[in-house]
């Protein structure tokens, strides 16, 4: 056989590569005295505002509805009793449909617990605010006066239903719910003890501090049964008379 003729490989024309573009060096941030600041579009679009996002109108409305349910339930539990109050009654008092309470609370028992726990939590916070508003050199007597006046406010003021409900519907709670309320209640009453101890050291307290606390709360809480603003007695006057019962001048 004839020797094969070697095939010539087609050589593609050599194309010159375009010169590589120089990579742009990282630009140092402008100093504080510069007139402009460079920001990438990505940074501007992905930057999130600081803090919690604002609540939507729907979320705010849900909060208002929940509060209306609790306020209406507290008044009904106080006047009619827990057992005699239906969820239909509560919804009607809040201007809602009969099934609306179950959107916010899983049961009537959960609503009762919320009335007590949130009421006591707010009372604990407002009590501390009342004490914080006193001058730094306030005497124990002045502190006790402030505590009694504040307690009358949450007992007999505009939103005062939750404490009577707590006092009279305690047995309607589950054991676990009672423990939760007891913790908040103990925290509220514990604030009184340093003041009572200070008065005892001064010889101004009529009883031992622990016993005095029980007597004081028993007497003050009973005021929900007999106090009437129509009789002309103000909460300030009531506070002065209560203070005179518990400490010596």
């Amino acid at each position: 056989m004839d020797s094969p003729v070697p095939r010539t490989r087609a050589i593609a024309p050599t194309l010159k590569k375009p010169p590589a573009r120089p990579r742009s060096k990282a630009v140092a941030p402008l100093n504080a005295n510069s007139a402009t600041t460079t920001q990438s579009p990505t940074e501007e679009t992905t930057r999130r505002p600081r803090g919690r996002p604002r609540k939507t109108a729907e979320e705010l409305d849900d909060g208002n509805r929940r509060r209306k349910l609790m306020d209406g339930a507290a008044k009904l539990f106080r006047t009619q009793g827990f057992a005699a109050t239906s969820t239909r009654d509560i919804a009607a008092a809040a201007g809602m449909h009969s099934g609306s309470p179950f959107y916010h609370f899983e049961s009537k028992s959960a609503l009762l617990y919320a009335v007590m726990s949130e009421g006591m939590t707010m009372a604990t916070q407002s009590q501390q605010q009342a004490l914080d508003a006193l001058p730094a050199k306030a005497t124990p007597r002045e502190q006790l006066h402030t505590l009694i006046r504040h307690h009358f406010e949450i007992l007999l003021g505009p939103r005062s239903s939750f404490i009577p409900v707590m006092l009279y519907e305690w047995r309607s709670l589950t054991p676990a719910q009672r423990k939760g309320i007891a913790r908040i209640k103990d925290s509220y009453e514990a604030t009184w003890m340093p003041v009572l101890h200070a008065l005892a050291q001064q010889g101004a307290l009529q009883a031992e501090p622990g016993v005095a606390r029980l007597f004081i709360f028993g007497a003050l809480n009973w005021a929900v049964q007999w106090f009437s603003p129509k009789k002309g007695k103000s909460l300030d006057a009531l506070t002065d008379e209560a203070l005179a019962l518990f400490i010596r001048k």
Side-chain angles (χ1 to χ4, degrees), residues 18-160:
R21 294 182 180 177
R23 295 182 179 180
S24 58
K25 295 181 179 180
V27 181
L30 300 178
N31 57 34
N33 296 326
S34 301
T36 58
T37 303
T38 304
Q39 287 184 340
S40 65
T42 305
E43 290 176 348
E44 292 179 356
T45 55
T46 59
R47 180 175 293 176
R48 295 180 179 178
R50 294 180 179 179
R52 295 181 180 178
R54 294 182 178 179
K55 290 186 177 181
T56 64
E58 184 176 354
E59 288 173 332
L60 289 172
D61 186 55
D62 280 346
N64 292 335
R65 287 173 177 268
R66 188 177 188 277
R67 174 51 58 191
K68 285 182 179 179
L69 284 170
M70 290 180 60
D71 289 346
K75 292 176 182 177
L76 289 172
F77 292 157
R78 179 179 180 178
T79 57
Q80 298 182 183
F82 174 75
T85 301
S86 67
T87 53
R88 187 182 296 274
D89 295 333
I90 297 169
M96 301 178 189
H97 296 296
S98 58
S100 295
F102 296 112
Y103 175 79
H104 299 276
F105 302 95
E106 61 182 11
S107 64
K108 191 174 73 166
S109 178
L111 179 51
L112 175 66
Y113 178 74
V115 167
M116 295 186 190
S117 62
E118 294 191 23
M120 279 306 305
T121 298
M122 289 189 296
T124 302
Q125 294 170 350
S126 60
Q127 175 176 257
Q128 189 59 52
Q129 291 170 358
L131 287 175
D132 291 343
L134 286 173
K137 296 183 179 180
T139 65
R141 181 187 179 92
E142 291 169 338
Q143 293 174 26
L144 183 60
H145 186 281
T146 296
L147 289 171
I148 293 174
R149 178 63 179 79
H150 171 268
H151 195 68
F152 275 140
E153 184 65 32
I154 64 171
L155 275 174
L156 309 170
R159 296 181 63 182
S160 58

Side-chain angles (χ1 to χ4, degrees), residues 196 200 205-212 215 246 248:
L196 296 177
L205 197 63
Q206 302 278 30
E208 183 272 328
V211 175
F215 275 122
F246 307 133
R248 302 182 181 95

